[in-house]
Amino acid sequence: MLTLDPGRNAGSIAIEGLVKRFGPVRAVDDVSLDIRAGEFLALLGPSGSGKTTILMAIAGFEYPDAGRILLGGEDITWLPPNRRNLGMVFQRYTLFPHMSVLENIAFPLKMRGIGRAEREERARDALRTVQLEQMGARQPAQLSGGQQQRVAIARAIVYRPRVLLMDEPLSALDKKLREEMQIEIKHLQREIGITVVFVTHDQTEALTMADRVAVLDHGRLQQIGAPRDLYEAPQTEFVAGFIGETNFWSGTAAIAAARGEAVAVRLDGGGVMPATAVSPLPPGGRVRLALRPERLRIAAGGEGLEARVTEAIYAGNATTLMLQAAGGQMLRLRIPAGAGLPEAAVGEAVTLGWQAADARAFAVTP
Amino acid sequence: MAAARSRPNRAGRMALNAAAYAVTVFLLLPTLIIIPMSVGPERFLRFPPAGFSLRWYAEYFHDAEWIAATLFSLEVGLIAAFCATVAGTMLALALVRGRLPGRGLVELLVVGPVIVPHVALAVAMFLVFERLRLTGTLLGFAMAHTVLALPFVVFTVLAALYRFDAELERAALSCGAGRFATFRHVTLPLIAPGVVSAALFAFIISFDEPVVSFFISDLDRKTLPRKMFEDIDYNISPTLAAVATMLTALTVLALLAGFVLKRAAERRAAARNG
């Protein structure tokens, strides 16, 4: 089994003020990130968010227009990719088709001038790590997609790099295999203690695999944090909408509020409801309110927001109600099964309520 | 309804096939007639031949001038094929991967030898080579034929590079291979069939080349096509037909080899993607 020597910060990455332009487009727009040694960091965002460009800049396939990249404290911004000693797994498997599986894995060792016997031994060791020890003599084309990607991982870790870069490595696999591989990669990462930077557009993948997730949009870093922080305390409207399901309302702040304070919001459809200010709000300032479907409740008492149930979708572990509020706003409300919460039938009029802490009010910049 | 429509279609297709075969035969006939003419026993070219004899083939192998011209052509062909393949492969790589300033101009220059009439090229080369005393030299011929073969090498290798997955080069770089090691261990083995068929192509172009050779040959050193031309002026012996037959056979073999290689490469690419 491959393991890395513990200690030192050799596997940490610092990205400072990274800018990359493609023509008039700022693919990466002043992004700074600290990636800790041994951490599993996901770069999450829609296509065009700059996540892959950041990864390519770390790998050395793109050179930035501004900013620096440090690996274990050493500036690698301008180092060619073959001298960075990073492991890289690509979206497509990119195994060398004219080499056997074992030759593929031994290739990085060959490039490092390691002798044949040691090469073979270490390649077999890496193959064992990804549980394909019987497959060494095969040609890549004879393996399934999942097996090919495991070989690609073995090839990327065989020389014991401090950092493993993964560019949507599971997107070519079907759902079941993808979920298996997610667990396997996570397991492997813990076992060998390698820093992983993992690019994905799949929020579930990012939340389940990563220690921390960096959410990007239009080349800008929106938020970085543990999966729980992103889900429960999104710092921007984009993050609130991108991670998980969210109901959005427009409204105005009834009173002034500092960051983190409770605030009353006058909703555009009518009604005044409590929320927490994510950014400082002036009185009368335009606000977007974000609320998770499972935090929306059917209130037992009279006070709250009037709405009518238009649809009820039963999914075993939860029931989702589609609601139309008095102002015409469409909402989703999720009732987990077995929690003893009040339910409602289609056509029924209900009163909605929530905790101030669960509704997040974002200032709208005009 | 379907049957009624398919009948005229079928007739049309048969007419098209017949026309295509007729054109093919028309084009091939002169080449094919050479073969029986080369085995006639008489002293002059004649069709149909009055018997069967291989004496003109024997004549060729015993004639020092024919052999000298053949060896010279082989020599020029091999050198030109080598130079054109190396330079053409490098050029194709630069066009596909490089950030070449003035790329459009380079592409235009590559096509140049194909577009400019060979006679014009030949006159130009003659005027330059004469002054540099390169006419009738191995160096002169090798340079001239390298120029003529280069476009074909570039096109063939470009096609191979477009089929090749460039991400494999990034994978090699990430494995710690430098630019040259990446080319040697990954790119070249995977485009090798294209490069070899480009080399075969280049060889044939040089070996067959009459126009430029005609201008830059001299009395002692001439290529096979030039020698054949002289022979037709002075002798018109069936040796000429024998040489033409062998030349045709050699060309067909080389092209077949190139075709087989290309098919193998395509199959390999298909297996990889499948």
Side-chain angles (χ1 to χ4, degrees), chain A residues 61 82 92 97-98 112 159, chain B residues 165 173-175 177 185 272:
Chain A
F61 296 126
N82 51 309
R92 285 172 297 129
H98 58 301
R112 286 165 174 74
Y159 46 97
Chain B
D165 181 2
L173 286 167
S174 80
C175 285
H185 293 289
R272 208 179 307 144

Side-chain angles (χ1 to χ4, degrees), chain B residues 157-178:
Chain B
V157 176
L158 274 181
L161 280 173
Y162 284 131
R163 274 199 306 272
F164 168 81
D165 181 2
E167 193 106 305
L168 290 174
E169 287 180 355
R170 287 188 159 193
L173 286 167
S174 80
C175 285

Side-chain angles (χ1 to χ4, degrees), chain A residues 233-236 258-261 263 276-281 359-363:
Chain A
Q235 294 302 312
T236 68
R259 190 189 158 101
E261 276 183 352
V263 62
T276 303
V278 179
S279 41
L281 299 175
R360 300 178 67 78
F362 299 97

Side-chain angles (χ1 to χ4, degrees), chain B residues 144-165:
Chain B
H145 284 179
T146 299
V147 169
L148 293 178
L150 193 71
F152 297 93
V153 173
V154 173
F155 297 148
T156 313
V157 176
L158 274 181
L161 280 173
Y162 284 131
R163 274 199 306 272
F164 168 81
D165 181 2

